[in-house]
Coordinates of all heavy atoms in Angstrom, one line a residue:
S218 N -140.9 66.5 94.2 CA -141.7 65.3 94.5 C -141.0 64.0 94.2 O -141.5 62.9 94.8 CB -143.0 65.4 93.7 OG -142.7 65.5 92.3
C219 N -140.0 64.0 93.4 CA -139.3 62.7 93.1 C -137.8 62.9 93.0 O -137.3 64.0 92.5 CB -139.8 62.2 91.7 SG -141.6 61.9 91.6
L220 N -137.0 61.9 93.4 CA -135.6 61.9 93.2 C -135.2 60.5 92.7 O -135.7 59.5 93.3 CB -134.8 62.2 94.5 CG -134.9 63.6 95.1 CD1 -134.2 63.7 96.4 CD2 -134.2 64.6 94.1
E221 N -134.4 60.4 91.7 CA -134.1 59.1 91.2 C -132.6 59.1 90.7 O -132.2 59.9 89.9 CB -134.9 58.7 90.0 CG -136.3 58.3 90.3 CD -136.4 56.9 91.0 OE1 -135.5 56.0 90.7 OE2 -137.3 56.7 91.8
W222 N -131.8 58.1 91.2 CA -130.4 57.9 90.8 C -130.4 57.0 89.5 O -131.3 56.2 89.3 CB -129.6 57.2 91.8 CG -129.3 58.0 93.0 CD1 -130.0 58.0 94.2 CD2 -128.3 59.0 93.2 NE1 -129.4 58.9 95.1 CE2 -128.4 59.6 94.5 CE3 -127.3 59.5 92.3 CZ2 -127.5 60.6 94.9 CZ3 -126.5 60.5 92.8 CH2 -126.6 61.0 94.1
D223 N -129.4 57.2 88.7 CA -129.3 56.3 87.5 C -128.6 55.0 88.0 O -128.2 54.9 89.1 CB -128.5 57.0 86.4 CG -127.0 57.2 86.7 OD1 -126.6 57.0 87.9 OD2 -126.3 57.5 85.7
Q224 N -128.4 54.1 87.0 CA -127.9 52.7 87.4 C -126.5 52.8 87.8 O -126.0 51.9 88.5 CB -128.1 51.8 86.2 CG -129.5 51.4 85.9 CD -130.2 52.3 85.0 OE1 -129.8 53.4 84.7 NE2 -131.4 51.9 84.5
S225 N -125.7 53.8 87.4 CA -124.3 53.9 87.8 C -124.1 54.7 89.1 O -123.0 54.7 89.7 CB -123.5 54.6 86.7 OG -123.9 56.0 86.6
G226 N -125.2 55.3 89.6 CA -125.1 56.0 90.9 C -124.3 57.3 90.8 O -123.9 57.9 91.8
S227 N -124.2 57.9 89.6 CA -123.4 59.1 89.4 C -124.3 60.3 88.9 O -123.8 61.4 88.8 CB -122.3 58.9 88.4 OG -122.8 58.5 87.2
R228 N -125.5 60.0 88.5 CA -126.4 61.1 88.0 C -127.7 61.0 88.8 O -128.2 59.9 89.1 CB -126.6 61.0 86.5 CG -125.4 61.5 85.7 CD -125.7 61.4 84.2 NE -126.1 60.0 83.8 CZ -126.4 59.7 82.6 NH1 -126.5 60.6 81.7 NH2 -126.8 58.5 82.3
L229 N -128.4 62.1 88.9 CA -129.6 62.2 89.7 C -130.7 63.0 89.0 O -130.4 64.0 88.4 CB -129.3 62.9 91.1 CG -130.4 63.1 92.1 CD1 -130.9 61.8 92.6 CD2 -130.0 64.1 93.2
L230 N -131.9 62.5 89.0 CA -133.0 63.2 88.5 C -133.9 63.8 89.6 O -134.0 63.1 90.7 CB -133.9 62.2 87.7 CG -133.5 61.7 86.3 CD1 -134.5 60.7 85.8 CD2 -133.2 62.8 85.3
S231 N -134.4 65.0 89.4 CA -135.3 65.6 90.4 C -136.5 66.1 89.6 O -136.4 66.6 88.5 CB -134.6 66.7 91.1 OG -134.2 67.7 90.3
A232 N -137.7 66.0 90.2 CA -138.9 66.5 89.5 C -139.8 67.2 90.6 O -139.7 66.9 91.8 CB -139.7 65.3 88.9
D233 N -140.6 68.1 90.1 CA -141.3 68.9 91.1 C -142.8 69.0 90.8 O -143.3 68.4 89.8 CB -140.7 70.3 91.2 CG -140.9 71.1 89.9 OD1 -141.7 70.8 89.1 OD2 -140.2 72.2 89.8
G234 N -143.5 69.8 91.5 CA -145.0 70.0 91.4 C -145.4 70.9 90.3 O -146.6 71.2 90.1
D235 N -144.4 71.4 89.5 CA -144.7 72.2 88.4 C -144.4 71.6 87.0 O -144.4 72.2 86.0 CB -144.0 73.6 88.5 CG -144.5 74.6 87.5 OD1 -145.7 74.7 87.3 OD2 -143.6 75.4 87.0
G236 N -144.0 70.3 87.1 CA -143.7 69.6 85.9 C -142.3 69.7 85.4 O -141.9 69.3 84.3
Q237 N -141.4 70.3 86.2 CA -140.0 70.5 85.9 C -139.2 69.3 86.2 O -139.3 68.8 87.4 CB -139.4 71.7 86.6 CG -140.1 73.0 86.3 CD -139.9 73.5 84.8 OE1 -138.8 73.4 84.3 NE2 -141.0 74.0 84.3
I238 N -138.3 68.8 85.3 CA -137.5 67.6 85.6 C -136.0 68.1 85.3 O -135.8 68.7 84.2 CB -137.8 66.4 84.7 CG1 -139.3 66.0 84.9 CG2 -136.9 65.2 85.0 CD1 -139.8 64.9 84.0
K239 N -135.1 67.8 86.2 CA -133.7 68.2 86.0 C -132.8 67.0 86.2 O -133.1 66.2 87.1 CB -133.3 69.3 87.0 CG -134.1 70.7 86.8 CD -133.7 71.7 87.9 CE -134.4 73.0 87.7 NZ -134.0 73.8 86.5
C240 N -131.8 67.0 85.4 CA -130.8 65.9 85.5 C -129.5 66.5 86.0 O -128.9 67.5 85.5 CB -130.5 65.3 84.1 SG -129.2 64.1 84.1
W241 N -129.0 66.0 87.2 CA -127.8 66.5 87.9 C -126.6 65.6 87.7 O -126.8 64.4 87.8 CB -128.1 66.7 89.4 CG -129.3 67.6 89.6 CD1 -130.6 67.2 89.8 CD2 -129.2 69.0 89.8 NE1 -131.4 68.3 90.0 CE2 -130.6 69.4 90.0 CE3 -128.2 70.0 89.8 CZ2 -130.9 70.8 90.2 CZ3 -128.5 71.3 90.0 CH2 -129.9 71.7 90.2
G242 N -125.5 66.2 87.4 CA -124.3 65.4 87.3 C -123.2 66.0 88.1 O -123.2 67.2 88.5
M243 N -122.2 65.2 88.5 CA -121.1 65.6 89.3 C -120.2 66.6 88.5 O -119.9 66.4 87.3 CB -120.2 64.5 89.8 CG -120.9 63.5 90.7 SD -119.7 62.2 91.2 CE -120.9 61.0 91.9
T244 N -119.7 67.7 89.1 CA -118.7 68.6 88.6 C -117.3 68.0 88.9 O -117.0 67.9 90.1 CB -118.9 70.0 89.1 OG1 -120.3 70.4 89.0 CG2 -118.0 71.0 88.4
E245 N -116.5 67.8 87.9 CA -115.2 67.3 88.1 C -115.2 66.0 88.9 O -114.2 65.7 89.6 CB -114.3 68.3 88.8 CG -114.1 69.6 88.0 CD -113.2 70.6 88.7 OE1 -113.4 70.9 89.9 OE2 -112.2 71.0 88.1
H246 N -116.3 65.2 88.8 CA -116.4 63.9 89.4 C -116.3 64.0 91.0 O -115.7 63.1 91.6 CB -115.3 62.9 88.9 CG -115.3 62.8 87.4 ND1 -116.2 62.2 86.7 CD2 -114.4 63.3 86.5 CE1 -115.9 62.3 85.4 NE2 -114.8 63.0 85.3
L247 N -116.8 65.0 91.5 CA -116.8 65.2 93.0 C -118.2 65.1 93.5 O -119.2 65.7 93.0 CB -116.3 66.6 93.3 CG -114.8 67.0 92.9 CD1 -114.6 68.5 93.0 CD2 -113.8 66.1 93.6
V248 N -118.3 64.3 94.6 CA -119.6 64.0 95.2 C -120.2 65.2 95.9 O -121.4 65.2 96.1 CB -119.6 62.8 96.2 CG1 -119.2 61.6 95.5 CG2 -118.7 63.1 97.4
N249 N -119.4 66.2 96.2 CA -120.0 67.4 96.8 C -119.9 68.6 95.9 O -119.7 69.7 96.4 CB -119.3 67.7 98.2 CG -117.8 67.7 98.1 OD1 -117.2 67.5 97.0 ND2 -117.1 68.0 99.2
S250 N -120.0 68.4 94.6 CA -120.1 69.4 93.6 C -121.0 69.0 92.5 O -120.6 68.0 91.8 CB -118.7 69.8 93.2 OG -118.7 70.9 92.3
W251 N -122.1 69.6 92.3 CA -123.1 69.1 91.3 C -123.6 70.3 90.4 O -123.6 71.4 90.9 CB -124.3 68.5 92.0 CG -123.9 67.2 92.8 CD1 -123.3 67.1 94.0 CD2 -124.1 65.9 92.3 NE1 -123.2 65.8 94.3 CE2 -123.6 65.0 93.3 CE3 -124.7 65.3 91.2 CZ2 -123.7 63.7 93.3 CZ3 -124.8 63.9 91.1 CH2 -124.2 63.1 92.1
E252 N -124.0 69.9 89.2 CA -124.5 70.9 88.3 C -125.6 70.3 87.5 O -125.6 69.1 87.3 CB -123.4 71.5 87.4 CG -122.8 70.5 86.5 CD -121.7 71.0 85.6 OE1 -121.5 72.3 85.7 OE2 -121.1 70.3 84.8
C253 N -126.5 71.1 87.1 CA -127.7 70.6 86.2 C -127.2 70.5 84.8 O -126.7 71.5 84.2 CB -128.8 71.6 86.3 SG -130.3 71.1 85.3
A254 N -127.2 69.2 84.3 CA -126.7 69.0 83.0 C -127.8 69.1 81.9 O -127.6 69.6 80.8 CB -126.1 67.6 82.9
Q255 N -129.1 68.6 82.2 CA -130.2 68.6 81.3 C -131.4 68.9 82.0 O -131.5 68.7 83.2 CB -130.3 67.3 80.5 CG -129.1 66.8 79.8 CD -129.0 67.5 78.4 OE1 -129.9 68.2 78.0 NE2 -127.9 67.3 77.7
S256 N -132.5 69.4 81.3 CA -133.8 69.6 82.0 C -134.9 69.4 80.9 O -134.7 69.7 79.7 CB -133.8 70.9 82.7 OG -133.7 72.0 81.7
S257 N -136.0 69.1 81.4 CA -137.2 69.0 80.6 C -138.4 69.4 81.4 O -138.3 69.5 82.6 CB -137.4 67.6 80.0 OG -137.7 66.7 81.0
S258 N -139.6 69.6 80.8 CA -140.7 70.1 81.6 C -142.0 69.7 80.9 O -142.1 69.6 79.7 CB -140.6 71.6 81.8 OG -140.8 72.3 80.6
V259 N -143.0 69.6 81.7 CA -144.4 69.5 81.3 C -145.1 70.6 82.1 O -145.6 70.4 83.2 CB -145.1 68.1 81.6 CG1 -146.4 68.0 81.0 CG2 -144.2 67.0 81.1
D260 N -145.2 71.8 81.5 CA -145.5 73.0 82.3 C -146.8 72.8 83.1 O -147.9 72.5 82.5 CB -145.6 74.2 81.4 CG -144.2 74.6 80.8 OD1 -143.2 74.2 81.5 OD2 -144.1 75.2 79.8
G261 N -146.7 73.1 84.4 CA -147.9 73.1 85.2 C -148.5 71.8 85.6 O -149.6 71.8 86.2
D262 N -147.9 70.7 85.2 CA -148.4 69.4 85.4 C -147.5 68.6 86.4 O -146.4 68.2 86.1 CB -148.5 68.6 84.1 CG -149.6 67.6 84.1 OD1 -150.2 67.3 85.2 OD2 -149.8 67.0 83.0
P263 N -147.9 68.6 87.7 CA -147.0 68.0 88.7 C -146.6 66.5 88.4 O -147.4 65.7 87.8 CB -147.9 68.0 90.0 CG -148.8 69.1 89.7 CD -149.1 69.1 88.3
I264 N -145.4 66.2 88.7 CA -144.8 64.9 88.4 C -145.1 64.0 89.7 O -144.8 64.4 90.8 CB -143.3 64.9 88.2 CG1 -143.0 65.9 87.0 CG2 -142.8 63.5 87.9 CD1 -143.5 65.5 85.7
V265 N -145.7 62.8 89.4 CA -146.0 61.9 90.5 C -145.1 60.6 90.5 O -145.0 59.9 91.5 CB -147.5 61.5 90.5 CG1 -148.3 62.7 90.8 CG2 -147.9 60.8 89.2
A266 N -144.5 60.3 89.4 CA -143.6 59.1 89.3 C -142.5 59.5 88.3 O -142.7 60.1 87.2 CB -144.4 57.9 88.8
L267 N -141.3 58.9 88.5 CA -140.1 59.3 87.7 C -139.2 58.1 87.7 O -139.0 57.4 88.7 CB -139.4 60.5 88.3 CG -138.2 61.0 87.6 CD1 -138.5 61.6 86.3 CD2 -137.5 62.1 88.5
S268 N -138.6 57.8 86.5 CA -137.6 56.7 86.5 C -136.7 56.9 85.3 O -137.1 57.5 84.2 CB -138.3 55.4 86.3 OG -137.4 54.3 86.1
W269 N -135.5 56.4 85.4 CA -134.6 56.3 84.2 C -135.0 55.2 83.4 O -135.6 54.2 83.9 CB -133.1 56.1 84.7 CG -132.5 57.2 85.4 CD1 -132.5 57.5 86.7 CD2 -131.7 58.2 84.7 NE1 -131.8 58.7 86.9 CE2 -131.3 59.1 85.8 CE3 -131.3 58.5 83.4 CZ2 -130.4 60.2 85.5 CZ3 -130.5 59.6 83.2 CH2 -130.1 60.4 84.2
L270 N -134.8 55.3 82.1 CA -135.1 54.1 81.2 C -134.1 53.0 81.5 O -133.0 53.2 82.0 CB -134.9 54.5 79.7 CG -135.9 55.6 79.2 CD1 -135.6 55.9 77.7 CD2 -137.3 55.1 79.4
H271 N -134.5 51.8 81.3 CA -133.7 50.6 81.7 C -132.6 50.4 80.7 O -132.8 50.5 79.5 CB -134.6 49.3 81.8 CG -134.0 48.3 82.7 ND1 -132.9 47.5 82.3 CD2 -134.3 47.9 83.9 CE1 -132.6 46.7 83.2 NE2 -133.4 46.9 84.3
N272 N -131.4 50.1 81.2 CA -130.3 49.9 80.3 C -130.1 48.5 79.8 O -129.1 48.1 79.1 CB -129.0 50.4 80.9 CG -128.6 49.7 82.2 OD1 -129.3 48.8 82.6 ND2 -127.5 50.0 82.8
G273 N -131.0 47.6 80.2 CA -130.9 46.2 79.8 C -130.0 45.3 80.6 O -129.8 44.1 80.3
V274 N -129.3 45.8 81.6 CA -128.4 45.0 82.5 C -129.2 44.6 83.7 O -129.7 45.4 84.5 CB -127.2 45.8 82.9 CG1 -126.4 45.0 83.9 CG2 -126.4 46.3 81.7

Side-chain angles (χ1 to χ4, degrees):
S218 56
C219 302
L220 290 175
E221 284 290 328
W222 290 100
D223 71 347
Q224 289 88 347
S225 68
S227 58
R228 287 181 301 176
L229 179 70
L230 289 177
S231 62
D233 66 14
D235 194 35
Q237 301 290 322
I238 304 172
K239 294 179 182 288
C240 175
W241 302 90
M243 296 183 195
T244 308
E245 297 180 308
H246 309 288
L247 299 170
V248 298
N249 52 359
S250 183
W251 295 78
E252 62 182 359
C253 181
Q255 302 281 353
S256 64
S257 63
S258 66
V259 188
D260 290 338
D262 207 352
I264 306 295
V265 294
L267 180 66
S268 174
W269 289 88
L270 296 180
H271 203 284
N272 61 359
V274 177

